[in-house]
C-alpha cells in the first residue's frame, strides 16, 4: 500500500509539473508546489525515533543538576517524581496540608506548543501528537506552553506533520491562543502519579523535530496568558531551609526545614487551585528558619522576617490539598483522668486519710504504694508496679494504618473509647487495626465516632498491650529492657489522654474471644485477711527495716507463660520468714486464694544476692611461709594454725613503746607489708556519696597471695540506682557488669584475719570488732584502724612511712639476734624503749613504720626520739611494718 501511494504521488506530482510548464524562458516565474496533504505519508509513532531528554544537565537544571554525589538520574533514565527531592509537603494559605511537585526554575515567557485543528473544527485532529520545537536544556524551553492553534486541511492525515519546520513548510496558518498548559517534558518511563482532580497521570506523547517526546500534564487549574504578550502569572510561596541562604552551605543545598521526624515543611503557598489568582508558577521568598515553628499559614509566614525575597521562579503544581487535622494535639483539650475515684479504683480509692492524688493530679508511681519489691520463682529480686484490679476482658485500642502499609500512620495518636472510671475500661488493650486511605492525614480522626462515621475497616488483632491511662505529668520510670518510660499521647472522644507502655513481654489474645492470661502471685499482708484491718489495707509484710516483701511471682518475663495480670493468693504471714521462692510460697498455708486479678508489670529482675549468713568463708593464714615475715609458724613458736582465731591483744602482737617526747604508747604488730597498697572496692549507687547500705566491700587478694597488703587504696565502684546490696561479691562480678571503677586517694588500714580474731584496742572511736567483706564470692573478716585519715596519690599510690627506733634482746648480726630474740624491755615489765617518730595527731603520722635498730647496750639511754637517734644504729631501714598506734599517754 505504501509503495502504491508513493508511486501515485510521483505520477501526480510529475503531471502537475508538466501542466505548469518547465521551459527555460519561464524559470523565474516557475513555482514548486507542495503535494496535497492527503498524499503525505503519516509517521508511525510506535516506531519513530525518541528524543534524548535530560532535565538535570547543567544547561537544563538549576535546582536539580546532576553531580557525583546527588544520585540524580542520568540522561534519558526514568525519573520518579513521587519521591524526594521532587515532591514536597507544605501548607496552604489557611494552614491546609498541600503537596506539590518541584519541576525546577522556569522562565516567565512560555514556549509555544502547536496543536493541529481541521479547518472549521474546534477540537484537535484525532490521533495527532502535539508538536514542540524545544526540549529541556535548549534555549527557550519552558514546562509552561502557550497553545498555538495550527489549522490544517480537512484531508490532513494525523501525524503526517511531526515538526515545526514541516508546519512552516506547509504554510499552515498558526494562531497564538490565550491557553497555557503545564506539561513538563521528561524521559520515557518517568512517573508522577499525583493529581488534584481528575487530570491524567500517564505520560503523553508529542513530536519534537520528527522525534517522540513524553510529557506530563497538570490541569488543576485552567491557565491563560495574553496571546500577543505572553508571560506566566506568578504566585508567591514562602519557604525555609535547614540553613538560611546567607549562611555557608545554606539555601536549597541544605534542604527544606521539616517538622522533627517527618517530611512536613512549613513552606506556605499563597494561593490554591480553587483561588482565582492561583498559579503553579511560584515566586520564592525565604523566611528566617529560626521562626519555623511560628509559621502555620500565610498570615504567619508573611509576619516573620524574610531573609531573601523573589529569589527564584519555579514550576510547582499543587497535587493535593487537605484541610488541617480537626484537632492539633498541641491545642487539644485534655481528658480528666482519675484512677482513684470510687468508680475507677479497687485497691486504691481516695479518702480523707490515705493522701492519694486528686483527679488529674500527676501520680508518682515510683513510690509506695504503687511499686513493690518482691521475689521471683527462684528467689530472684523483682520489682513491679501496682496498677490496681483489672477485668479479664481487654478494652479495644484503635491503631490506624494506611492501605497497603504494615506500620501505623506516622504521627497519628492511637484512639480509645474508655478511660478509668468508664464501664469497660482496662489497662490491657486489644489492638484493633483501622485501615484508612493512602492520603489520610494524621490525627484527622480523634475518636471512635470519627472512625465509624468514615466507615473505615476495623480488624481485631491478637496483639495485647499494657498501657495504663494516667493523668498528664505522671511518672513511672522503671522498665525491664529498653522500653520507653515516658508518657505517650492518645485520643479519647476528641480529647488527649496520656498513658504508659509496658513492653517487658509481647502479649497476645484470641482475636475473636479475647481474655487476658493470668499468672499467680503469692503475697502476705501485715495483718492476715479475715482479721480486723487485715488484707491490703494493712500493707504488705516486709523484712525488718526495709521495703523488701516476700511476695513471690510465679513467672518472669523470660518465661513463656508470663503475664503481668496476676491472680493474687495470700499466705499466712506467720510463715513470712519461711518464704524465699515459689516452692516455699506454695508450701506454706494459704489464707485466701484467687482474691483479685491485678495489673502488675515486672520492671526489674535481679539474681538473688549472696546471703552472707550462708556464704562460704575464705581460708585465712597470716603465719604461713608466703604470708608472714616476722611471724611465721613453726613447731616451737606456738603461732595459731591457719583459720584459727588470733588474739592480737597478747604478745607478740602488741607492744608498749615510747613516743617522740617519751609518751607511753601501745601499738599492734601486723608484720612486714609492701609499699604498694592493694585495691579495695567500695560500691556506691549513682549520684550518691555514701556506700551502698549493707554491701560488703570487695577485695581480690588475701594474706599469702601476691599483692596482698593490710593497707588498701579505696576504689569507688559506681552501680545503678536500683542495685541490690551483695549482688556483687567479687572483682570478677564488677568487671563482668562493666561498672565504672575510680581510684581514690583514700587509704585504709584493714588487716584480714581469721574469723573470730580479736584486737580490742583503738585510739579514738573506731570500731574494734571484725568487719566482713567479699573475696571471690567468699567471706573474709578484717579489722579497721582509723586513728588517722590516710591518703595516697590515686594514680601512683605508695604508702607513706614513718621511722621507729627499736632494740632487740640480741642485736641483729649476732647469733639468734634480731626479731627472733624479742624486743628488749625494762626489767620485769613489757615496756620497750622502741620510739616512734610520729603520733596520730602529727600531720606526718603513718602506721607504716620504717624500722631502725639501735645498739641494745644503749637501751637505758633511750627515752625519746632525740635520745633514740643519738645512740649508735646497728641496722637502719631493715623493714617496713604495719603497726597502728592504739594508745598514747604521758
Amino acid at each position: 500500500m505504501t509503495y502504491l501511494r508513493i508511486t501515485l504521488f510521483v505520477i501526480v506530482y510529475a503531471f502537475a509539473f508538466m501542466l505548469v510548464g518547465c521551459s527555460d524562458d519561464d524559470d523565474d516565474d516557475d513555482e514548486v508546489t507542495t503535494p496535497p496533504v492527503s498524499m503525505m505519508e503519516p509517521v508511525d509513532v510506535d516506531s519513530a525515533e525518541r528524543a534524548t531528554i535530560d532535565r538535570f544537565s547543567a544547561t537544563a537544571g538549576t535546582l536539580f543538576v546532576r553531580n557525583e554525589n546527588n544520585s540524580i538520574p542520568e540522561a534519558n533514565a526514568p525519573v520518579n517524581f513521587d519521591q524526594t527531592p521532587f515532591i514536597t509537603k507544605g501548607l496552604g494559605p489557611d494552614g491546609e496540608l498541600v503537596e506539590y511537585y518541584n519541576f525546577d526554575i522556569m522562565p516567565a515567557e512560555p514556549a509555544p506548543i502547536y496543536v493541529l485543528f481541521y479547518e472549521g473544527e474546534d477540537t484537535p485532529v484525532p490521533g495527532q501528537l502535539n508538536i514542540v520545537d524545544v526540549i529541556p536544556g535548549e534555549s527557550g524551553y519552558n514546562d509552561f506552553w502557550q497553545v498555538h492553534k495550527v489549522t490544517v486541511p480537512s484531508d490532513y492525515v494525523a501525524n503526517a506533520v511531526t515538526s515545526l519546520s514541516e508546519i512552516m513548510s506547509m504554510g499552515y496558518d498558526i494562531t497564538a491562543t490565550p491557553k497555557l498548559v503545564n506539561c513538563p517534558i521528561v524521559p520515557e518511563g518517568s512517573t508522577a502519579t499525583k493529581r488534584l482532580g481528575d487530570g491524567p497521570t500517564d505520560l503523553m506523547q508529542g513530536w519534537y523535530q520528527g522525534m517522540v517526546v513524553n510529557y506530563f500534564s497538570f490541569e488543576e487549574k485552567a491557565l491563560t496568558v495574553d496571546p500577543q504578550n505572553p508571560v506566566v502569572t506568578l504566585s508567591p510561596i514562602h519557604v525555609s531551609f535547614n540553613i538560611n541562604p546567607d549562611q555557608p552551605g545554606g539555601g536549597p543545598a541544605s534542604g527544606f526545614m521539616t517538622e522533627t521526624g517527618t517530611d512536613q515543611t512549613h513552606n506556605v503557598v499563597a494561593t490554591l487551585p480553587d483561588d482565582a489568582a492561583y498559579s503553579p508558577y511560584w515566586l520564592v521568598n525565604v523566611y528566617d528558619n529560626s521562626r519555623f515553628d511560628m509559621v502555620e499559614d500565610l498570615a504567619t509566614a508573611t509576619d516573620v522576617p524574610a531573609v531573601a525575597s523573589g529569589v527564584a521562579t519555579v514550576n510547582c503544581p499543587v497535587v493535593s490539598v487537605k484541610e488541617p487535622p480537626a484537632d492539633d494535639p498541641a491545642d487539644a483539650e485534655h481528658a480528666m483522668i482519675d484512677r482513684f475515684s470510687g468508680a475507677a479504683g479497687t485497691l486504691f480509692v481516695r479518702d480523707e486519710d490515705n493522701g492519694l492524688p486528686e483527679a488529674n493530679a500527676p501520680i508518682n508511681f515510683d513510690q509506695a504504694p504503687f511499686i513493690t519489691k518482691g521475689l521471683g520463682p527462684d528467689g530472684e529480686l523483682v520489682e513491679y508496679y501496682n496498677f490496681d484490679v483489672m477485668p479479664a476482658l481487654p478494652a479495644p485500642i484503635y491503631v490506624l494504618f494506611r492501605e497497603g502499609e504494615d506500620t501505623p500512620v506516622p504521627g497519628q495518636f492511637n484512639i480509645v473509647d474508655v478511660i478509668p472510671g468508664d464501664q469497660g475500661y482496662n489497662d490491657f488493650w486489644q489492638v484493633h487495626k483501622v485501615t484508612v486511605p493512602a492520603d489520610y492525614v494524621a490525627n484527622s480522626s480523634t475518636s471512635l465516632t470519627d472512625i465509624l462515621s468514615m466507615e473505615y475497616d476495623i480488624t481485631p488483632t491478637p496483639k495485647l498491650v499494657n498501657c495504663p491511662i494516667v493523668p498528664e505529668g505522671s511518672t513511672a520510670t522503671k522498665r525491664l529492657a529498653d522500653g520507653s518510660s515516658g508518657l505517650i499521647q492518645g485520643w479519647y472522644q476528641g480529647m488527649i489522654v496520656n498513658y504508659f507502655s509496658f513492653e517487658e513481654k509481647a502479649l497476645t489474645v484470641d482475636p475473636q474471644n479475647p481474655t487476658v492470661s493470668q499468672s499467680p502471685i503469692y503475697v502476705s499482708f501485715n495483718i492476715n485477711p479475715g482479721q480486723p484491718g487485715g488484707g491490703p489495707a494493712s500493707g504488705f509484710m516486709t523484712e525488718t527495716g526495709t521495703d523488701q516483701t516476700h511476695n513471690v511471682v510465679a513467672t518472669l518475663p523470660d518465661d513463656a507463660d508470663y503475664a503481668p495480670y496476676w491472680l493474687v493468693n495470700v499466705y499466712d504471714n506467720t510463715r513470712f520468714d519461711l518464704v524465699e521462692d515459689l516452692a516455699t510460697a506454695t508450701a506454706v498455708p494459704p489464707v485466701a486464694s484467687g482474691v483479685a486479678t491485678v495489673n502488675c508489670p515486672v520492671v526489674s529482675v535481679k539474681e538473688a544476692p549472696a546471703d552472707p549468713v550462708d556464704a562460704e568463708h575464705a581460708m585465712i593464714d597470716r603465719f604461713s611461709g608466703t604470708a608472714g615475715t616476722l611471724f611465721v609458724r613453726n613447731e616451737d613458736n606456738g603461732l595459731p594454725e591457719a583459720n584459727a582465731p588470733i588474739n592480737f591483744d597478747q604478745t607478740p602482737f602488741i607492744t608498749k613503746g615510747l613516743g617522740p617526747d617519751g609518751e607511753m604508747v601501745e601499738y599492734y604488730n601486723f608484720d612486714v607489708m609492701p609499699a604498694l597498697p592493694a585495691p579495695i572496692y567500695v560500691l556506691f549507687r549513682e549520684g550518691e556519696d555514701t556506700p551502698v547500705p549493707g554491701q560488703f566491700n570487695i577485695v581480690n587478694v588475701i594474706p599469702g597471695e601476691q599483692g596482698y597488703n593490710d593497707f588498701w587504696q579505696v576504689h569507688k565502684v559506681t552501680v545503678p540506682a536500683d542495685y541490690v546490696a551483695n549482688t556483687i561479691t567479687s572483682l570478677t562480678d564488677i568487671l563482668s557488669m562493666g561498672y565504672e571503677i575510680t581510684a581514690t586517694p583514700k587509704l585504709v588500714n584493714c588487716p584480714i584475719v581469721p574469723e573470730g580474731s580479736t584486737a580490742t584496742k583503738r585510739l579514738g572511736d573506731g570500731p574494734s570488732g571484725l568487719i566482713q567483706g567479699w573475696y571471690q564470692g567468699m567471706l573474709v573478716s578484717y579489722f579497721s584502724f582509723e586513728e588517722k585519715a590516710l591518703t595516697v596519690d590515686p594514680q601512683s599510690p605508695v604508702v607513706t612511712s614513718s621511722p621507729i627506733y627499736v632494740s632487740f634482746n640480741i642485736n641483729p648480726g649476732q647469733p639468734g639476734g634480731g626479731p627472733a630474740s624479742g624486743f628488749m624491755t625494762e626489767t620485769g615489765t613489757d615496756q620497750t624503749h622502741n620510739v616512734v617518730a610520729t603520733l596520730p595527731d602529727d600531720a606526718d603520722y603513718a602506721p607504716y613504720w620504717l624500722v631502725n635498730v639501735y645498739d641494745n647496750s644503749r637501751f637505758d639511754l633511750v627515752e625519746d626520739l632525740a635520745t633514740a637517734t643519738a645512740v649508735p644504729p646497728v641496722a637502719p631501714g631493715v623493714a617496713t611494718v604495719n603497726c597502728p598506734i592504739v594508745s598514747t599517754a604521758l
Side-chain angles (χ1 to χ4, degrees):
M1 180 64 71
T2 300
Y3 174 78
L4 290 176
R5 290 183 65 178
I6 293 173
T7 303
L8 180 59
F9 173 83
V10 172
I11 292 172
V12 170
Y13 186 84
F15 181 69
F17 182 77
M18 290 172 63
L19 289 177
V20 171
C22 58
S23 68
D24 291 341
D25 294 339
D26 296 330
D27 280 351
D28 292 340
D29 299 322
D30 290 346
E31 290 185 3
V32 178
T33 61
T34 57
V37 72
S38 61
M39 298 296 102
M40 295 181 66
E41 183 72 13
V43 177
D44 180 14
V45 175
D46 292 337
S47 61
E49 183 182 354
R50 267 58 181 164
T52 296
I53 303 301
D54 187 358
R55 291 185 67 92
F56 308 128
S57 68
T59 55
T62 302
L63 301 177
F64 307 120
V65 178
R66 183 187 312 105
N67 61 38
E68 295 178 357
N69 303 317
N70 60 17
S71 301
I72 284 179
E74 296 295 320
N76 239 31
V79 184
N80 179 2
F81 287 93
D82 289 328
Q83 64 185 13
T84 55
F86 306 116
I87 194 161
T88 302
K89 292 180 179 177
L91 301 173
D94 295 322
E96 301 90 342
L97 298 173
V98 304
E99 283 187 286
Y100 58 87
Y101 285 114
N102 305 288
F103 285 111
D104 215 321
I105 291 175
M106 293 294 148
E109 184 178 356
I113 188 169
Y114 301 96
V115 184
L116 278 59
F117 292 76
Y118 287 123
E119 293 173 336
E121 297 193 8
D122 56 5
T123 56
V125 172
Q128 170 70 46
L129 305 187
N130 297 333
I131 296 170
V132 299
D133 197 45
V134 284
I135 57 174
E138 294 183 344
S139 177
Y141 173 80
N142 199 332
D143 289 344
F144 295 103
W145 306 86
Q146 181 187 9
V147 173
H148 286 58
K149 179 178 180 180
V150 179
T151 303
V152 297
S154 58
D155 59 351
Y156 172 80
V157 179
N159 298 313
V161 171
T162 63
S163 67
L164 176 60
S165 62
E166 289 177 345
I167 291 171
M168 302 297 291
S169 69
M170 294 298 293
Y172 293 149
D173 180 65
I174 301 174
T175 305
T177 77
K179 185 173 183 179
L180 188 74
V181 293
N182 187 359
C183 297
I185 290 178
V186 296
E188 188 172 10
S190 296
T191 50
T193 61
K194 296 177 182 284
R195 295 296 185 280
L196 192 65
D198 300 325
T201 59
D202 293 337
L203 284 173
M204 297 181 177
Q205 291 182 313
W207 291 113
Y208 161 75
Q209 298 181 5
M211 294 177 285
V212 171
V213 291
N214 294 271
Y215 58 86
F216 297 120
S217 179
F218 293 92
E219 303 172 11
E220 72 278 9
K221 178 81 172 183
L223 306 176
T224 60
V225 289
D226 178 344
Q228 305 313 316
N229 186 27
V231 175
V232 185
T233 302
L234 284 166
S235 182
I237 184 173
H238 304 269
V239 307
S240 65
F241 296 105
N242 285 310
I243 303 173
N244 281 337
D246 56 349
Q247 302 298 317
S254 67
F256 291 128
M257 201 169 203
T258 60
E259 295 177 5
T260 303
T262 77
D263 54 359
Q264 180 66 54
T265 73
H266 286 189
N267 296 354
V268 180
V269 299
T271 59
L272 295 177
D274 282 345
D275 300 331
Y278 169 78
S279 172
Y281 187 50
W282 290 351
L283 181 66
V284 180
N285 305 286
V286 185
Y287 65 85
D288 190 331
N289 61 14
S290 67
R291 308 301 177 90
F292 176 85
D293 291 330
M294 300 173 64
V295 173
E296 299 175 351
D297 50 27
L298 184 59
T300 51
T302 54
D303 237 10
V304 300
V307 293
S309 298
V311 294
T313 50
V314 291
N315 176 21
C316 295
V318 170
V319 292
S320 173
V321 178
K322 295 183 183 300
E323 290 302 314
D327 290 283
D328 182 348
D331 302 327
E333 180 185 356
H334 286 244
M336 175 74 71
I337 303 300
D338 187 358
R339 290 185 71 92
F340 307 131
S341 68
T346 301
L347 301 175
F348 306 119
V349 179
R350 183 186 312 104
D351 61 34
E352 296 178 357
D353 302 321
N354 61 19
L356 288 174
E358 295 295 318
N360 237 35
I363 307 166
N364 180 1
F365 288 94
D366 289 329
Q367 64 184 13
F370 306 115
I371 194 162
T372 302
K373 293 180 178 178
L375 301 173
D378 294 322
E380 301 90 341
L381 296 174
V382 303
E383 282 187 284
Y384 58 87
Y385 285 113
N386 305 289
F387 286 110
D388 215 321
V389 172
M390 292 293 148
L393 180 66
I397 189 168
Y398 302 94
V399 184
L400 277 59
F401 294 74
R402 292 193 177 104
E403 292 173 340
E405 298 189 3
D406 55 6
T407 55
V409 174
Q412 169 72 45
F413 293 174
N414 297 334
I415 296 171
V416 300
D417 198 45
V418 284
I419 57 175
D422 290 347
Q423 187 172 5
Y425 174 79
N426 200 332
D427 289 344
F428 296 101
W429 305 85
Q430 180 188 9
V431 172
H432 285 58
K433 180 179 180 179
V434 179
T435 302
V436 297
D439 61 353
Y440 172 84
V441 177
N443 298 314
S444 298
S445 293
T446 62
S447 68
L448 177 59
T449 302
D450 290 345
I451 292 171
L452 296 176
S453 69
M454 296 302 292
E455 298 183 347
Y456 293 147
D457 181 67
I458 302 174
T459 307
T461 77
K463 185 172 183 178
L464 187 74
V465 293
N466 186 0
C467 297
I469 290 179
V470 296
E472 186 176 14
S474 296
T475 51
T477 62
K478 295 177 181 286
R479 293 296 184 280
L480 195 64
D482 299 325
S484 170
S485 62
L487 285 173
I488 300 168
Q489 290 186 311
W491 291 112
Y492 162 75
Q493 299 181 6
M495 295 178 285
I496 295 288
V497 291
N498 295 272
Y499 57 86
F500 298 121
S501 179
F502 292 93
E503 303 171 11
E504 72 276 11
K505 180 80 172 185
L507 306 175
T508 59
V509 290
D510 177 344
Q512 305 312 319
N513 186 27
T515 301
V516 185
S517 298
Q518 298 175 355
S519 182
I521 184 173
Y522 300 84
V523 307
S524 64
F525 296 105
N526 285 310
I527 303 174
N528 280 339
Q531 303 297 317
S538 68
F540 292 128
M541 200 169 199
T542 60
E543 295 177 3
T544 304
T546 77
D547 55 359
Q548 180 66 53
T549 74
H550 287 189
N551 296 354
V552 180
V553 299
T555 59
L556 295 177
D558 283 343
D559 300 331
D561 53 350
Y562 167 80
Y565 187 50
W566 290 350
L567 182 66
V568 179
N569 305 283
V570 185
Y571 65 85
D572 190 333
N573 62 14
T574 63
R575 308 300 176 91
F576 177 85
D577 291 330
L578 299 175
V579 174
E580 298 177 348
D581 51 27
L582 185 60
T584 51
T586 54
V588 299
V591 294
S593 299
V595 294
T597 47
V598 291
N599 176 22
C600 295
V602 171
V603 291
S604 174
V605 178
K606 297 183 181 299
E607 291 300 315
D611 185 350
V613 174
D614 302 327
E616 180 184 357
H617 287 247
M619 176 74 71
I620 304 300
D621 186 358
R622 291 186 69 93
F623 307 133
S624 69
T626 55
T629 302
L630 301 177
F631 307 118
V632 178
R633 183 188 312 106
N634 60 38
E635 295 177 358
D636 303 321
N637 60 18
L639 289 174
E641 295 295 318
N643 239 32
I646 307 168
N647 181 1
F648 287 93
D649 289 330
Q650 63 185 13
T651 56
F653 306 116
I654 194 163
T655 302
K656 293 179 180 178
L658 300 173
D661 294 323
E663 302 89 340
M664 307 291 290
V665 302
E666 280 188 287
Y667 58 87
Y668 285 113
N669 304 287
F670 285 109
D671 215 322
V672 172
M673 292 292 149
L676 181 66
I680 189 168
Y681 302 95
V682 183
L683 277 58
F684 293 74
R685 293 192 177 104
E686 293 173 340
E688 298 188 5
D689 55 5
T690 55
V692 174
Q695 170 71 47
F696 294 173
N697 296 333
I698 296 169
V699 300
N700 198 43
V701 285
I702 56 175
E705 293 184 342
Q706 187 173 5
Y708 175 80
N709 200 332
D710 288 345
F711 295 100
W712 306 87
Q713 180 188 9
V714 172
H715 286 59
K716 179 180 179 180
V717 179
T718 302
V719 297
D722 60 353
Y723 171 82
V724 177
N726 298 314
T727 306
I728 297 296
T729 63
S730 68
L731 176 60
T732 301
D733 291 344
I734 293 171
L735 297 176
S736 69
M737 295 301 292
Y739 293 147
E740 181 185 27
I741 301 174
T742 306
T744 78
K746 185 172 183 178
L747 189 73
V748 292
N749 186 0
C750 297
I752 291 178
V753 295
E755 187 177 12
S757 296
T758 53
T760 63
K761 297 177 181 288
R762 293 295 185 282
L763 191 64
D765 300 325
S768 60
L770 285 173
I771 300 169
Q772 289 187 307
W774 292 112
Y775 160 76
Q776 299 182 5
M778 296 177 285
L779 285 179
V780 291
S781 298
Y782 57 86
F783 298 122
S784 179
F785 292 93
E786 303 172 10
E787 72 277 9
K788 179 81 173 182
L790 306 176
T791 60
V792 289
D793 178 343
Q795 307 310 320
S796 182
V798 175
V799 184
T800 302
S801 64
S802 182
I804 184 173
Y805 300 86
V806 307
S807 64
F808 295 107
N809 286 311
I810 302 173
N811 280 337
Q814 302 299 315
S821 67
F823 291 127
M824 198 170 212
T825 61
E826 294 177 3
T827 304
T829 75
D830 56 359
Q831 178 66 53
T832 73
H833 287 189
N834 295 353
V835 179
V836 298
T838 58
L839 296 177
D841 283 344
D842 299 331
D844 54 350
Y845 167 79
Y848 186 52
W849 289 349
L850 182 65
V851 179
N852 303 281
V853 185
Y854 65 85
D855 191 330
N856 59 15
S857 67
R858 309 299 176 91
F859 177 84
D860 291 331
L861 299 176
V862 173
E863 299 176 348
D864 51 26
L865 184 60
T867 52
T869 55
V871 300
V874 293
V878 292
T880 46
V881 292
N882 177 21
C883 296
I885 289 177
V886 292
S887 173
T888 63
L890 293 176

